[in-house]
């Protein structure tokens, strides 16, 4: 115990020393050469060469940036309500945030991953995990909108997610926190041997992308931190780092750091898939939401599912193995060939690299070192490819450039280190400002990386930007990695708390980007595609307003006959058929949000008037020279009023 405390104090002192050192360096004017400005400059009217999709962490969303400029283009709402456009507030999108716990308006988004075909980025969809209330989302890279969210049962702290197999057969979600499965009332101190960790394999329909939980592997009660798929020769396997193999339930900073080695769990999902396809596994009662947005009807629906198939590793011999890995490994990264599996041990002096070929040999020749709950533990020396000796302090994550090089972040020593696969020699190192977490190379999590840029996402900003009070946006730093040495060429701020990012050449996506929703294809049940379709209908205390918007008026723009106590539904269709001409809608006293309605789209805002009067609404998105004139009024009468509904446009 004393040794552990000493180790913790030592790391803390090292962190302070490195951060202080970097504080001093950051003020030096030579940190970026002026010529680097040319490398990141994108002339007015020109486009960036790459998209970067950066997780928002505690914002619950996904942000879109351009590289090399570092310009933020868009925030895509995913797991959190977004008043900017009404996501999670409009009647059409509220179902996207339904869960087995009810309506959850927030989550903690971590790890985006772009769909692949034959191990190459195809740019159809991007997936991201909700960490707090375990969920996986699928976002269209045509519309840049969230199309589907599936809740993950038997999970807690959905952290080793959401990583995909190389043909997007599965998006995989692993629990960070082991829990009782099924959930039940039990003493926390009975954790060891009783809690389980669920690793979920969610199938993805190859045409439409629709997700379904195919099976969950119920693993020992460790913490499953991060994961990555095998690729190339290791396609068909999935690898998960674990920590807390001690199965501690309190003071984990000490009690989960006792073992010299934890594990990387190697899962042969092809073998388990075959077992499941032949009827294997057990259907377990569950309760989880599956939310799907229909682009044709512009509506989301939420369906509660009631069972999930679980698999005990003991039922499928040869499907699960444990690779000893020092020490409290965080990132689990697989190189483009699928041969090398990097375990980034946070408390390890060296960086451990396992060999897939040696792993198969160890399995075939039964080179075991005991087992954990019946799962064979492979001998460390028989699966070890090599070690990068003392590369830095606090290794977290590794990415690859496709040229035989790996790049690893070191949190404590605040640096990125470049090293050579196979020889394990350190080639280069560059400081980051400060305390780097993840890094991303476009395509770095695929068979074919695009090794021109790498950017690091830092946890501490300090003096990098003008101060904005006690909290700063996190810092990202872009490096040119096209040469032998890394070159820092740009600082740019990020939104929320980025954990991971996925990046892709713009040419794969940009020409497929949706410009408008065609009115002729709008299947919304309450659309109004011309002024002739507009109307106001009473159904008891519910009042439905079928409204249109176009530069520069609403139709209708005068409504009377609404009463205190009514519930008014504004079903608003944007009649524009021109790219990038959205309209907004805001109603005084509405206790939700505005709407931002894109061309050809229908959205619904609910308003419950509480006061008698004449109340205005208006367009919130500046759309034309007569934007200020785009407004209207709703007359609200007492609850016992006999005034009939009436509406109009241009009538005196």
């Amino acid at each position: 115990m004393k040794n552990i405390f000493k180790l913790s104090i030592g790391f803390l002192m090292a962190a302070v020393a490195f951060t202080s050192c970097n504080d001093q360096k950051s003020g030096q004017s030579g940190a970026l050469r002026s010529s680097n400005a040319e490398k990141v400059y994108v002339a007015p009217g020109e486009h960036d060469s790459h998209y970067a999709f950066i997780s928002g962490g505690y914002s619950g969303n996904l942000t879109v940036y351009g590289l090399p400029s570092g310009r933020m283009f868009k925030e895509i709402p995913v797991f959190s309500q977004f008043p900017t456009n009404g996501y999670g507030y409009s009647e059409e999108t509220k179902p996207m945030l339904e869960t087995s716990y009810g309506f959850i308006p927030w989550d903690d988004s971590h790890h985006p991953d772009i769909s692949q075909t034959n191990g190459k980025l195809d740019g159809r969809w991007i997936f991201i995990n909700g960490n707090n209330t375990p969920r996986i989302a699928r976002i269209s890279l045509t519309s840049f909108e969230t199309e589907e969210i599936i809740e993950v049962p038997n999970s807690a702290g959905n952290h080793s997610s959401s990583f995909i197999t190389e043909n997007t057969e599965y998006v995989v979600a692993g629990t960070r926190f082991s829990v009782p499965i099924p959930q039940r009332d039990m003493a926390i101190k009975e954790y060891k041997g009783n809690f389980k960790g669920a690793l979920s394999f969610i199938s993805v329909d190859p045409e439409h992308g629709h997700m379904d939980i195919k099976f969950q592997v119920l693993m020992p009660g460790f913490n499953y931190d991060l994961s990555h798929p095998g690729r190339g020769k290791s396609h068909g396997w999935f690898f998960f780092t674990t920590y807390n193999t001690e199965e501690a339930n309190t003071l984990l900073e000490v009690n989960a750091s006792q073992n010299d080695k934890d594990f990387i769990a190697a899962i042969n999902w092809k073998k388990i898939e075959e077992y499941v396809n032949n009827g294997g596994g057990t259907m377990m009662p569950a309760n989880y939401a599956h939310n799907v947005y229909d682009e044709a009807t512009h509506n989301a629906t939420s369906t509660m599912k009631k069972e999930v198939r679980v698999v005990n590793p003991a039922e499928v011999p040869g499907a699960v193995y444990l690779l000893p890995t020092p020490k409290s490994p965080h990132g689990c990264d697989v190189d483009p060939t699928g041969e090398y599996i990097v375990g980034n041990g946070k408390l390890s002096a060296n960086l451990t690299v396992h060999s897939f070929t040696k792993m198969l040999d160890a399995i075939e020749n039964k080179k075991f070192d005991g087992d954990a709950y019946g799962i064979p533990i492979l001998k460390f020396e028989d699966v070890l490819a090599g070690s990068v000796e003392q590369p830095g302090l606090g290794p977290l994550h590794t990415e690859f450039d496709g040229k035989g090089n790996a790049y690893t972040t070191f949190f404590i020593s605040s640096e990125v280190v470049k090293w050579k696969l196979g020889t394990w020699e350190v080639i280069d190192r560059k400081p980051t400002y400060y305390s780097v977490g993840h890094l991303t190379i476009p395509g770095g999590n695929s068979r074919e990386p695009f090794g021109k840029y790498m950017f690091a996402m830092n946890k501490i900003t300090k003096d990098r930007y003008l101060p904005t009070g006690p909290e700063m946006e996190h810092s990202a730093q872009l490096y040119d990695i096209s040469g032998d040495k890394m070159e820092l060429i740009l600082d740019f701020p990020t939104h929320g708390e980025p954990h991971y990012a996925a990046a892709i050449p713009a040419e794969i996506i940009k020409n497929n980007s949706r410009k408008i929703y065609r009115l002729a294809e709008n299947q919304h049940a309450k659309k109004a595609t011309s002024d002739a379709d507009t109307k106001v209908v009473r159904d008891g205390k519910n009042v439905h307003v079928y409204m249109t918007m176009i530069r520069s008026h609403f139709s209708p723009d005068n409504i009377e006959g609404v009463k205190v106590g009514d519930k008014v539904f504004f079903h608003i269709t944007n009649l524009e058929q021109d790219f990038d001409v959205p309209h907004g809608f805001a109603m005084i006293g509405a206790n939700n949000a505005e709407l931002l309605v894109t061309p050809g789209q229908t959205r619904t805002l609910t308003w419950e008037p509480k006061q008698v009067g004449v109340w205005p609404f208006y367009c919130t998105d500046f759309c034309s020279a007569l934007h200020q004139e785009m407004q209207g009024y709703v007359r609200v009468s007492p609850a016992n009023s006999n005034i009939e509904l009436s509406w109009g446009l241009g009538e005196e």
Side-chain angles (χ1 to χ4, degrees):
M1 181 72 73
K2 290 181 179 178
N3 289 336
I4 294 298
F5 276 121
K6 288 179 180 178
L7 180 62
S8 300
I9 291 170
F11 273 120
L12 180 60
M13 292 176 66
V16 171
F18 274 100
T19 302
S20 298
C21 178
N22 285 336
D23 276 346
Q24 295 171 7
K25 291 178 181 177
S26 67
Q28 297 174 3
S29 60
L32 292 176
R33 296 206 313 267
S34 59
S35 61
N36 287 331
E38 299 175 6
K39 294 185 177 182
V40 300
Y41 178 69
V42 178
E46 298 295 324
H47 290 173
D48 283 275
S49 61
H50 294 73
Y51 285 101
F53 299 90
I54 303 180
S55 70
Y58 42 62
S59 80
N61 295 329
L62 183 68
T63 48
V64 186
Y65 289 77
L67 298 179
S69 72
R71 298 177 294 186
M72 188 176 111
F73 298 144
K74 186 181 183 71
E75 181 172 0
I76 302 173
V78 184
F79 298 113
S80 294
Q81 287 181 297
F82 196 59
T84 298
N85 69 0
Y87 176 86
Y89 294 98
S90 71
E91 296 302 310
E92 290 80 3
T93 59
K94 281 181 183 178
M96 295 299 287
L97 301 181
E98 290 292 343
T99 74
S100 62
Y101 305 95
F103 183 85
I104 303 292
W106 168 88
D107 214 313
D108 182 16
S109 60
H110 275 234
H111 306 124
D113 208 7
I114 297 171
S115 56
Q116 298 181 17
T117 300
N118 297 324
K120 303 176 185 178
L121 303 185
D122 61 30
R124 291 179 295 165
W125 308 297
I126 187 165
F127 301 85
I128 193 168
N129 58 315
N131 191 49
N132 184 60
T133 303
R135 290 172 282 179
I136 298 292
R138 177 178 57 83
I139 298 154
S140 166
L141 291 182
T142 299
S143 65
F144 285 62
E145 291 187 354
T146 302
E147 290 190 330
E148 187 175 12
I149 297 177
I150 191 166
E151 189 179 356
V152 184
N154 298 325
S155 182
N158 176 39
H159 193 261
S160 46
S161 318
S162 51
F163 301 106
I164 62 166
T165 55
E166 63 174 23
N167 282 299
T168 320
E169 301 98 333
Y170 293 99
V171 55
V172 178
T175 188
R176 175 180 165 196
F177 309 123
S178 289
V179 293
I181 298 178
Q183 274 286 9
R184 57 195 181 275
D185 182 18
M186 65 180 295
I188 298 173
K189 67 181 180 181
E190 295 177 7
Y191 178 117
K192 192 166 187 175
N194 292 309
F195 285 29
K196 299 290 184 184
L199 308 181
S200 304
F201 285 74
I202 301 168
S203 62
V204 180
D205 178 81
E207 183 177 357
H208 302 292
H210 292 160
M211 299 184 289
D212 187 47
I213 299 176
K214 179 84 169 183
F215 58 85
Q216 293 184 317
V217 184
L218 299 187
M219 295 287 286
F222 309 149
N223 289 50
Y224 296 84
D225 205 0
L226 277 161
S227 65
H228 267 106
R231 52 182 58 96
K233 64 173 65 179
S234 56
H235 177 59
W237 290 79
F238 224 95
F239 303 94
F240 297 80
T241 49
T242 72
Y243 67 100
N244 191 27
T245 52
E246 299 85 352
E247 296 181 79
N249 63 273
T250 185
L251 196 60
L252 264 65
E253 64 178 335
V254 174
N255 295 325
S257 303
Q258 299 295 309
N259 292 340
D260 184 54
K261 294 182 178 68
D262 293 285
F263 301 118
I264 288 178
I267 310 290
N268 187 334
W269 61 261
K270 284 278 193 182
K271 184 181 284 285
I272 298 175
E273 179 186 59
E274 181 181 11
Y275 171 74
V276 167
N277 287 343
N278 289 323
T282 302
M283 298 307 294
M284 174 182 285
N287 191 34
Y288 59 102
H290 186 198
N291 309 328
V292 179
Y293 181 79
D294 185 329
E295 195 172 82
T297 66
H298 303 193
N299 268 283
T301 56
S302 181
T303 304
M304 295 306 299
K305 307 194 84 169
K306 297 299 182 182
E307 60 181 7
V308 67
R309 187 180 298 273
V310 298
V311 174
N312 184 334
E315 299 170 359
V316 196
V320 183
Y321 296 91
L322 299 175
L323 285 62
T325 305
K327 177 172 187 183
S328 295
H330 186 58
C332 181
D333 303 294
V334 181
D335 86 301
T337 70
E339 170 62 18
Y340 297 121
I341 305 131
V342 182
N344 303 272
K346 300 191 299 288
L347 302 179
S348 176
N350 301 326
L351 195 61
T352 300
V353 186
H354 296 300
S355 162
F356 180 72
T357 302
K358 294 181 74 172
M359 184 192 86
L360 293 183
D361 179 75
I363 292 170
E364 182 179 357
N365 293 289
K366 295 183 169 31
K367 297 177 180 179
F368 301 149
D369 191 12
D371 69 86
Y373 297 99
I375 300 173
I377 301 171
L378 302 176
K379 289 185 176 179
F380 177 69
E381 59 273 14
D382 289 315
V383 296
L384 181 68
S387 296
V388 183
E389 300 291 330
Q390 298 184 332
L393 298 177
L396 292 183
H397 303 282
T398 299
E399 292 248 318
F400 310 92
D401 63 7
K403 305 170 188 175
N405 302 310
Y407 300 74
T408 300
T409 58
F410 291 83
F411 178 80
I412 295 175
S413 51
S414 285
E415 59 185 335
V416 177
V417 174
K418 177 181 179 181
W419 50 277
K420 191 73 175 174
L421 289 163
T423 67
W424 325 122
E425 62 180 316
V426 171
I427 300 171
D428 191 23
R429 64 178 68 239
K430 284 291 185 292
T432 61
Y433 307 98
Y434 306 95
S435 299
V436 62
H438 279 273
L439 78 167
T440 294
I441 293 172
N445 178 31
S446 73
R447 278 202 204 184
E448 292 192 5
F450 303 90
K452 183 176 182 180
Y453 298 118
M454 175 271 293
F455 61 95
M457 288 154 277
N458 305 310
K459 297 300 183 184
I460 298 174
T461 302
K462 289 186 178 289
D463 52 11
R464 300 306 290 180
Y465 311 124
L466 290 172
T468 55
E471 182 190 14
M472 301 281 286
E473 292 280 40
H474 288 214
S475 163
Q477 295 180 304
L478 181 69
Y479 296 79
D480 182 342
I481 59 170
S482 58
D484 292 335
K485 300 294 185 180
M486 297 177 283
E487 190 171 9
L488 175 61
I489 57 175
L490 180 69
D491 272 19
F492 62 98
T494 56
H495 185 58
E497 186 198 4
H499 289 267
Y500 187 50
I504 185 172
E507 62 188 15
I508 298 176
I509 292 178
K510 68 177 184 179
N511 293 330
N512 299 322
S513 184
R514 175 179 285 279
K515 299 290 194 295
I516 62 170
Y517 294 94
R518 299 194 179 279
L519 283 170
E521 298 171 358
N522 185 331
Q523 298 176 30
H524 194 290
K526 292 182 170 60
K527 67 181 182 294
T529 56
S530 70
D531 283 354
D533 298 329
T534 62
K535 57 186 176 181
V536 182
V537 178
R538 177 176 289 282
D539 180 13
K541 286 187 172 295
N542 293 334
V543 176
H544 295 273
V545 180
Y546 295 71
M547 180 179 282
T548 63
M549 55 194 345
I550 194 168
R551 288 168 285 186
S552 296
H553 65 267
F554 296 98
S555 180
D557 65 359
N558 280 196
I559 301 169
E560 299 192 13
V562 173
K563 304 173 186 178
V564 171
D566 283 345
K567 192 172 187 178
V568 183
F569 297 87
F570 293 96
H571 310 290
I572 311 171
T573 302
N574 183 347
L575 299 184
E576 305 285 356
Q577 293 289 268
D578 189 10
F579 174 48
D580 196 25
V581 188
H583 290 294
F585 177 82
M587 182 74 224
I588 189 171
N591 61 354
N592 36 41
E594 64 134 11
L595 294 179
L596 192 67
V597 189
T598 58
Q601 191 177 55
T602 302
R603 282 285 183 264
T604 302
L605 186 75
T606 303
W607 176 54
E608 298 183 58
K610 302 291 196 299
Q611 301 177 38
V612 170
V614 179
W615 307 108
F617 56 85
Y618 69 102
C619 176
T620 56
D621 192 320
F622 204 101
C623 54
S624 74
L626 297 177
H627 166 76
Q628 295 296 83
E629 284 75 11
M630 194 166 175
Q631 66 177 62
Y633 289 100
V634 179
R635 176 184 174 185
V636 178
S637 300
N640 60 357
S641 170
N642 294 320
I643 297 176
E644 295 293 324
L645 284 175
S646 63
W647 61 94
L649 170 69
E651 299 174 6
E652 292 296 335

